[in-house]
Amino acid sequence: MSTATTYAEFAAREAHDVSPAYERLSVAVSRDREMIARLDALPPAKRQPNLLFAAVRFLDGPVTDPGAFLDFAAERWPEVAAEMLARATQTNEVGRCALLLPVLAELRQPLALLEIGASAGLNLFPDRYSYQYSEVRLGTGEPVLDCVLTGHEPPTKLPDVVWRAGLDLHPRDVTDPADRRWLESLIWPEHEHRRERLRAAARVAAADPPLLLPGDLVDDLPALAERAPTDATLVVFHTSVLYQVPEPRRRTFVDLVRGLPGHWVAVENPTIFGYDDLPKPPDETLHNVLALDGRPLAWCRPHGQGMSWF
Ligand SMILES: C[S@@+](CC[C@H](N)C(=O)[O-])C[C@H]1O[C@@H](n2cnc3c(N)ncnc32)[C@H](O)[C@@H]1O
């Protein structure tokens, strides 16, 4: 897909109805030949809309008016490009815990959680947050994660987590000011509720830091899995990670994770695993697929705002 098409698609499928500012910016970028040429000079993995917009926000640039945005990005391109090259889209979206919870709550307890692509590790605390599944509230902690759930009963209990560990190429530290600023820059401009829940979840993680190791999902998974307590159910999970991993490595990872004891939970773009016979998604916007041990179960909105079981 060309870079211009990537931005146009992002506007139509991801930002539409979710972030009017980013919808305007991505349409504007898709039509600006000079900006597309600048982006095309970066490696393919560094051309993503989220990375460009977050880099400009990190530099305190304007992200609501497309003209001001394009002027800023053009004038300050060396700095913008340097941030894009040095950083990655590592949005730690705690709302995705609401997608994991229905599965985690039904597994044999207690659980040993091992997250791949954990970013700052905020999704390693699904037992500490509260959930609002339409009318049904579960838990007493902060933040409260809202999710419109259809086709499945809301979970009635929180999981019992006795061990939590994360692996990431570049783990982020919620107590480090630059890491916090980057994580906040990755949240879309209008989404103050997401920034608030990031802050609330960061307080949880800062009070009880999880084991977060730098490492690769193939090379370093076996050694970390070895450290999990054997009297708990090991759950290896990942949300919105594999789109950043090249295809041959994804296959090696799947073979590896299938060979581990316990369970494997994935929330990923449907194109990643090439599932057969998925039902139609609820609408045209981007949906990921929740899967347990390779079996697809539900369509999920990217930030955990809704899930629709098959
Ligand atoms: C879009 S972020 C999602 C973070 C988190 N899973 C969430 O949903 O909030 C993807 C994360 O995967 C990590 N990642 C990408 N490739 C990886 C690899 N080969 N091994 C480990 N982590 C990886 C990135 O560094 C990044 O933090």
Side-chain angles (χ1 to χ4, degrees):
M1 197 187 289
S2 74
T3 306
T5 309
T6 300
Y7 277 74
E9 281 267 300
F10 179 86
R13 299 200 62 220
E14 295 194 51
H16 181 66
D17 276 349
V18 183
S19 169
Y22 277 7
E23 184 178 5
R24 287 194 298 275
L25 295 194
S26 34
V27 168
V29 171
S30 75
R31 294 175 181 163
D32 185 309
R33 277 209 217 128
E34 288 174 11
M35 183 56 71
I36 294 296
R38 285 185 201 102
L39 290 165
D40 280 341
L42 300 176
K46 296 289 179 180
R47 299 173 192 161
Q48 303 157 29
N50 267 329
L51 188 57
L52 170 64
F53 301 154
V56 169
R57 296 184 70 210
F58 190 74
L59 295 168
D60 281 329
V63 286
T64 47
D65 173 56
F69 169 83
L70 289 171
D71 288 347
F72 180 95
E75 281 159 24
R76 307 267 300 265
W77 184 248
E79 284 166 86
V80 173
E83 293 300 344
M84 293 175 76
L85 289 168
R87 300 179 183 281
T89 40
Q90 293 197 265
T91 314
N92 204 178
E93 180 45 71
V94 73
R96 292 175 186 144
C97 283
L99 308 171
L100 300 168
L101 197 76
V103 167
L104 297 181
E106 287 177 10
L107 299 178
R108 193 167 56 83
Q109 310 290 314
L111 304 181
L113 297 181
L114 195 169
E115 184 178 10
I116 301 294
S119 183
L122 302 181
N123 290 346
L124 283 165
F125 297 92
D127 52 328
R128 303 276 179 88
Y129 307 140
S130 297
Y131 300 84
Q132 188 76 46
Y133 291 105
S134 304
E135 308 304 311
V136 179
R137 178 69 153 256
L138 179 63
T140 54
E142 293 281 340
V144 180
L145 307 173
D146 281 289
C147 180
V148 178
L149 171 67
T150 57
H152 194 279
E153 287 301 310
T156 54
K157 56 183 184 333
L158 295 171
D160 175 14
V161 180
V162 291
W163 185 81
R164 44 192 116 226
L167 196 60
D168 199 289
L169 288 180
H170 309 287
R172 293 295 155 206
D173 176 358
V174 287
T175 64
D176 176 278
D179 279 5
R180 273 291 283 276
R181 188 169 156 74
W182 179 242
L183 290 171
E184 293 208 13
S185 299
L186 283 162
I187 296 180
W188 301 3
E190 303 90 342
H191 295 190
E192 192 47 37
H193 66 290
R194 291 177 61 210
R195 266 182 291 279
E196 275 166 22
R197 69 190 184 200
L198 172 78
R199 289 177 202 132
R203 285 194 288 277
V204 173
D208 181 13
L211 175 62
L212 262 189
L213 299 181
D216 172 76
L217 83 175
V218 170
D219 299 337
D220 302 295
L221 173 58
L224 186 54
E226 281 281 310
R227 294 170 67 169
T230 50
D231 53 356
T233 303
L234 176 66
V235 183
V236 176
F237 72 97
H238 47 92
T239 61
S240 298
V241 173
L242 295 190
Y243 77 94
Q244 297 188 357
V245 176
E247 171 51 26
R249 291 296 274 181
R250 282 182 204 157
R251 251 177 290 141
T252 312
F253 167 71
V254 170
D255 291 344
L256 184 62
V257 80
R258 281 185 184 282
L260 292 173
H263 293 283
W264 166 41
V265 181
V267 180
E268 296 287 351
N269 188 292
T271 58
I272 302 269
F273 295 117
Y275 298 117
D276 292 328
D277 297 333
L278 288 181
K280 260 171 72 92
D283 57 53
E284 293 297 304
T285 61
L286 180 70
H287 284 77
N288 291 323
V289 170
L290 166 73
L292 173 63
D293 299 325
R295 191 163 56 93
L297 298 174
W299 289 114
C300 301
R301 297 289 289 125
H303 300 138
Q305 62 271 54
M307 74 189 308
S308 169
W309 285 64
F310 301 159

